[in-house]
Each structure stands twice: as structure tokens, then as C-alpha cells.
């Protein structure tokens, strides 16, 4: 299951996930959201592979933020 999540994360646009991390995370995850937002694809993969379950939670939160902002 973690491999499936990793693939979804790798294929997604990181903006909403990073935004959710910055807005809703602890100080650590806010900083990780900043890093994710600035990361090139190789470093983004490292973040996702290291913190898959945690980032997955923020990915879901980011999807909700996007829906809310769309109306």
C-alpha cells in the first residue's frame, strides 16, 4: 500500500500538499512543506519516500483545500 501511495504522490502536483503542510502542520511539517514546495523532482521523491504516510495525510488535506477554494 505504501508503494501505491508513493506513486500517487510522485504523480501529483505538490502545491496543495505543501500548502496543507505549511498551514496545518506542526513546526516540523511546516518546514517540510516549505522544503517540498522548493524541492526539485529528486528531492521531492526523497521527501515522499521518507515520510510517505505523513505526507499522504497532508495530500488528503490538500485535496480538501483545493476543493474548498474551487467553491
Amino acid at each position: 500500500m505504501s508503494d501505491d501511495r508513493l506513486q500517487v504522490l510522485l504523480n501529483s502536483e505538490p502545491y496543495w500538499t505543501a500548502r496543507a503542510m505549511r498551514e496545518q502542520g506542526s513546526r516540523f511539517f511546516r518546514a517540510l512543506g516549505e522544503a517540498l514546495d522548493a524541492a526539485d523532482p529528486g528531492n521531492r521523491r526523497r521527501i515522499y519516500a521518507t515520510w510517505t504516510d505523513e505526507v499522504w495525510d497532508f495530500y488528503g488535506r490538500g485535496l480538501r483545500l483545493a476543493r474548498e477554494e474551487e467553491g
Side-chain angles (χ1 to χ4, degrees):
M1 170 111 97
S2 190
D3 288 339
D4 293 338
R5 288 179 175 185
L6 179 58
Q7 283 306 309
V8 170
L9 292 171
L10 289 170
N11 292 325
S12 70
E13 167 59 45
Y15 172 79
W16 289 104
T17 302
R19 181 171 163 182
M21 293 173 93
R22 289 191 313 265
E23 292 179 5
Q24 300 175 5
S26 65
R27 191 172 77 175
F28 174 80
F29 285 109
R30 287 192 306 262
L32 195 57
E34 289 292 330
L36 178 61
D37 194 39
D40 61 28
N43 285 321
R44 190 176 310 134
R45 182 175 187 45
R46 285 184 188 91
I47 292 169
Y48 290 157
T50 303
W51 300 99
T52 306
D53 293 336
E54 292 82 358
V55 175
W56 183 258
D57 177 54
F58 287 104
Y59 170 74
R61 295 180 194 196
L63 292 176
R64 287 190 292 278
L65 284 174
R67 283 193 300 268
E68 288 172 8
E69 197 161 291
E70 289 174 359

